[in-house]
Amino acid sequence: MHLFTTFHKNRKVAGRYLLSVLIHITFICCCSECVAQSCPPNIDFETGTFNNWTCYWGYTFASADGNAIILRNSGPLIDHHTMYSANTGELDPYGDFPVICPNGSGHSIKLGSTHNGGEAEGVSYDFTIPANDNAYSLIYHYAVVLQSPNHLLKEQPRMVIEVTNVTDNETIDCASFTFIAEGTTLPGFEVSAHQTDTTAVLFKRWTAVSIDLSGNAGKTIRLFFKTADCTLSRHFGYAYIDVNSECNGNFIGAKYCPDDSVVNVVAPFGFQSYTWYDNSLASILGTAQKISIPPPPPLTGATIAVKLEPYDGYGCPKTLFAILESNLKVTANAGTDTFACNNAPALLGTIPKPGLSYQWSPVTGLNDPFIANPLASPGATTTYVLTTSNSGGGCAVKDTVIVKSFIMDTTLQLIGKAAFCLDYGESATLVIKPEKSIQWFKDGVPVVGATQTSYRVRESGNYYALLENVVGCQVASREETILVDTLQKGITYPVKYAVLNLPLGLQARPIGQTVLWKPLKNLDSTSSFTPVFRGATEQLYTIDIQTAGGCLTVDTQLVRTVSSVEIYVPNAFTPNHDGVNDFLRPLLRGVEEVHYFRVYNRSGQLLFQTQSAEPGWDGTFKGQPQLTQAVVWVLSCVGLDNVEYAQKGTCVLLR
């Protein structure tokens, strides 16, 4: 088990509030000698797993040295390490931005949750920089949602990015940052419209940032992302993390096509200002992150430079050089032939590469014809053509993919009733059209052995069938909710005593959906489970209780009347388990509520107490039968006349 302890003295502050950080990472080599490198396996989460990543869970606290985060290797935990897929469509509840990284990737993760409690989470990834890459940068995209607690700096919720040279056991300061909920030098924050309490919530939309890893060729680097609640356990912090599948060894656009009409070169992300120069650093070419050069240089090998100025506390200033070379090769990948089942979307293409443009034809059934990996829902079998080209318009190449459309009949028929009483011989049978394979589900769980076209339901639940045809299409039917009730025997309720013409609350068993009291006499309602009796004569009621499935149970309730509140306590009882006079209890008529009934021995020791007349004292104390003796009882209660009654007396326990 790994244990990581991190202390933060709040010397690098990013963001006014930390509640959520969305990070997208890509690698770029910022020198003329660098070449494209292979991405470390699953650094982009594209296997849909945490393979090669290490997951942590722990806690945070404030100390004299600042803020401490204690993490232990935990493996992925629910509500702490969550995997998302591209088709989720879910938005962050505070910033309304997508939880899946909008870079075309298939998977992103969520680190942490909205639950507070002083918890902390982390994920880390170790990789080795190629031996010939002494100028290497890490670029990540983030979107931040921040809560604003009125705490000390060291008590704030936070998100920490630590980049460590594991080989030399050194933290790379220019690449490591702490985002906490206090102050900000970064622009772009907005107030969330979705406040949950009096604490303000701010958020920042997707933004890209570059951190420098220069001078670490051949070194093993650890990326460590951590989130933590506030140390007072009242406010939370969480992050979404994704990794770009494209690892590039040069500026985006530095390699271009011979037939490009313009060269578009993009500098590393996340700096406050950019200044482009020619190779002599004498002439300024532009001051934006992206520079366009129309037409392309007449000779390949021209050099340009960019001066980068970071935001205060976010990295170090740099001047980087890029060689423009007209040797880019572009490939088009429309993906493998696939099928769309019942108009469910099929994923086409692959993860996009920076600097390339994509266009699909025809556009019918596509959610977006200008991305690398659209979703296709054609109404009929369709051949799609993908044209991929460089951003400058050159190197246009094509690829095709066939999407076969299949429509399966998923009609679900119910024979019988959706709600029925099993004891009455009623039933419900679900029927589906035949296919290659059928599997019935109850409440989302497969029903063992239920693989036929019909299924007879015997238990309440939500049912549907999953169908698969000969080509592998899997489509679910609609869901049918079935309610199956069983009959309960009727019972006779204990006799109730009412004071003449004073209200007395009655109670039917809550075992059904509807109730009917008969006859309608001296009751304020016959259809209430808690009607009120008011009368002067004795009355016997039958109570029809019916479930939603139609099961009918008939109970009975006898109500007797007395002229005034009556309280009786016997002067002797025999707790010998013969079923006669085994308990010492008050016999109450016209009493609304018992405050207490207590029994003491002659020494004043409390032997028994209750707030109910039933079942009474059984003659034991701490599990031991008591000998024959005289005891004292005390009773306090409230009558139906709203008068408080207090009585006491003696009773003899006989053995």
Side-chain angles (χ1 to χ4, degrees), residues 351-372:
I351 302 298
K353 293 185 177 182
L356 299 184
S357 298
Y358 304 89
Q359 184 170 355
W360 294 81
S361 179
V363 300
T364 305
L366 298 181
N367 68 321
D368 188 340
F370 300 105
I371 61 176

Side-chain angles (χ1 to χ4, degrees), residues 27-29 33-40 128-133 136 245-250:
F27 294 93
I28 183 168
C29 181
E33 295 85 1
C34 293
V35 295
Q37 302 296 334
S38 298
C39 287
T128 300
I129 297 177
N132 63 337
D133 285 352
Y136 202 92
S245 297
E246 177 69 13
C247 296
N248 200 330
N250 209 332

Side-chain angles (χ1 to χ4, degrees), residues 632-647:
V632 177
W633 58 263
V634 179
L635 172 68
S636 175
C637 61
V638 176
L640 294 174
D641 54 5
N642 204 30
V643 175
E644 292 192 10
Y645 293 84
Q647 293 189 14

